[in-house]
Amino acid sequence: MTDVGSLNGHGKAHGGSIVLPKRFHAKVEIRWSDMDVFQHVNHARMVTLLEEARIPWLFEDGRPTAALRNGCVLADLRVRYRGQLRHEDTPLDIAMWIEQLRAVDFTVGYEVRANGAAPDSPPAVIASTQMAAFDIETQRLRRLTEPEREYLSEWMSD
């Protein structure tokens, strides 16, 4: 996993060169159990693969957002399929960024490409998840802390 930019058609020209948007990239392995009868990644399994991609980006020790693993709920999920992904496409390259950042929630954008696909090729899957900070003890949403907001804002799309 790395936190480098990707050429995905969203780069902007700056002084004759392309400035790439900041994306966190996770390589996620497709398991045989992720396949459905039609030999492509099943929808429910794709949602799990997206979750597996965001864990190292947001919830690992040392990240300013690590405390969210103790209280974060998924408020909305959208998945659009533009192409099929099969077992031979493993590991998937899942690029992630922040689409929206508010007081208690944030929206993660995703582009999923097959292993070896050109970074500027159309993604096979485009998705978003709205995540809300949650206090387990009070069973209420909580405001994102300043360090959480700062870290997430570093990954905002333009």
Side-chain angles (χ1 to χ4, degrees), residues 22 64-65 98 101 144-156:
K22 187 173 181 180
T65 50
I98 300 298
L101 179 58
L144 292 164
T145 66
E146 191 56 36
E148 289 168 341
R149 289 184 59 74
E150 287 175 12
Y151 179 70
L152 293 170
S153 69
E154 292 175 18
W155 299 96
M156 287 289 293

Side-chain angles (χ1 to χ4, degrees), residues 47-115:
V47 171
T48 300
L49 295 170
L50 296 174
E51 178 183 26
E52 290 174 8
R54 78 175 169 261
I55 287 171
W57 178 38
L58 299 176
F59 304 130
E60 280 190 353
D61 288 341
R63 302 267 187 224
T65 50
L68 289 171
R69 67 183 171 206
N70 299 321
C72 189
V73 295
L74 187 111
D76 187 57
L77 166 70
R78 296 169 194 254
V79 182
R80 293 181 304 257
Y81 296 92
R82 303 291 169 92
Q84 294 185 29
L85 291 168
R86 301 178 180 277
H87 192 267
E88 59 266 20
D89 296 324
T90 199
L92 298 176
D93 176 36
I94 303 180
M96 296 165 286
W97 65 95
I98 300 298
E99 291 181 342
Q100 184 177 42
L101 179 58
R102 301 188 312 179
V104 300
D105 64 13
F106 56 98
T107 302
V108 177
Y110 305 83
E111 290 182 341
V112 182
R113 291 180 176 80
N115 183 42

Side-chain angles (χ1 to χ4, degrees), residues 101-144:
L101 179 58
R102 301 188 312 179
V104 300
D105 64 13
F106 56 98
T107 302
V108 177
Y110 305 83
E111 290 182 341
V112 182
R113 291 180 176 80
N115 183 42
D120 60 348
S121 66
V125 176
I126 299 169
S128 66
T129 53
Q130 180 186 12
M131 310 293 295
F134 193 75
D135 185 320
I136 297 294
E137 289 181 25
T138 65
Q139 291 294 297
R140 294 177 160 269
L141 294 176
R142 70 163 177 85
R143 294 182 79 76
L144 292 164

